[in-house]
Amino acid sequence: MQIDSTPEAPEPVIRAALAAEAERLSDLMRSTFLDANGHCSTPANVAAFLDAVYSPATQRREIADPDILTWIVESPHGGGAWAGFAQLRFATRAPEEVGLRHPVELGRIYLAPSFQGRGLARTLMLHLCDEARRRGADGLWLNVWQEATQAIRFYTKHGFRIVGRSIFTVGDDPKDDWVMVRALYPD
């Protein structure tokens, strides 16, 4: 009898970001945003958004904030490469249409393009759901640009549904977003 000795794919390391990593995290956030959404507005608006939201100083503040958890996804193949990041925000007030008692905002979830399609996003989403449950949340909610079809498909595949609309501003350019929600416990 022959035993399949094919090694299983290594798991990524998902860990909390450190304050000393704020600059590197800022660089990753900027590049993944540009890869996914850099075409969403004028170059000036995108640059203004990146400077306002993804600066090293902003990341240091967010990492220090106990109501914001920022996670780094390290490459499952080692070498110190970062595959992506995610952020849960526990103090953000959910829109009324979310309809849950204790929801947490999935503020950000991005993987670098070279790490997409390998199952890392699924692993990261499971980690985020587990962490939200551990902290007493009954669901996750998020905003997603209505034209981000790949992201919407991913969220839908992972149990999110559209419950409303919101506006997200890139520089001075308002964008139509969907509000999506996923309950963490069955009804």
Side-chain angles (χ1 to χ4, degrees):
M1 176 166 99
Q2 186 173 357
I3 298 174
D4 183 6
S5 62
T6 306
E8 289 188 27
E11 288 290 318
V13 173
I14 301 172
R15 62 169 182 80
L18 304 173
E21 298 170 322
E23 189 166 336
R24 184 175 177 194
L25 179 59
S26 172
D27 290 343
L28 177 63
M29 289 176 158
R30 287 169 173 268
S31 69
T32 55
F33 182 86
L34 287 171
D35 289 332
N37 303 303
H39 63 287
C40 72
S41 190
T42 66
N45 278 325
V46 171
F49 173 79
L50 293 174
D51 289 345
V53 176
Y54 292 140
S55 72
T58 300
Q59 297 324 301
R60 270 190 287 284
R61 280 193 305 276
E62 290 181 353
I63 290 167
D65 187 331
D67 289 323
I68 300 174
L69 294 179
T70 304
W71 300 96
I72 301 296
V73 182
E74 294 180 350
S75 169
H77 303 291
W82 286 4
F85 65 94
Q87 197 172 67
L88 293 175
R89 298 178 183 160
F90 290 88
T92 307
R93 187 171 181 186
E96 187 174 310
E97 60 266 32
V98 167
L100 296 171
R101 297 182 80 145
H102 304 289
V104 63
E105 181 186 8
L106 174 51
R108 299 175 181 143
I109 181 170
Y110 286 91
L111 288 178
S114 62
F115 290 97
Q116 294 175 8
R118 300 181 185 188
L120 295 178
R122 179 186 178 282
T123 300
L124 180 55
M125 182 62 76
L126 292 172
H127 178 83
L128 296 170
C129 290
D130 287 346
E131 184 62 25
R133 278 187 205 96
R134 190 177 77 71
R135 292 190 172 227
D138 60 353
L140 298 173
W141 70 276
L142 57 87
N143 291 310
V144 61
W145 184 30
Q146 290 180 10
E147 294 181 33
T149 55
Q150 182 178 351
I152 294 166
R153 198 169 32 251
F154 171 77
Y155 295 133
T156 302
K157 179 180 174 181
H158 290 281
F160 286 83
R161 61 187 171 80
I162 295 171
V163 295
R165 297 171 182 255
S166 67
I167 299 294
F168 185 85
T169 305
V170 176
D172 63 6
D173 185 7
K175 297 290 168 198
D176 292 321
D177 275 14
W178 294 121
V179 176
M180 298 184 79
V181 66
R182 173 192 170 164
L184 292 175
Y185 301 99
D187 290 340

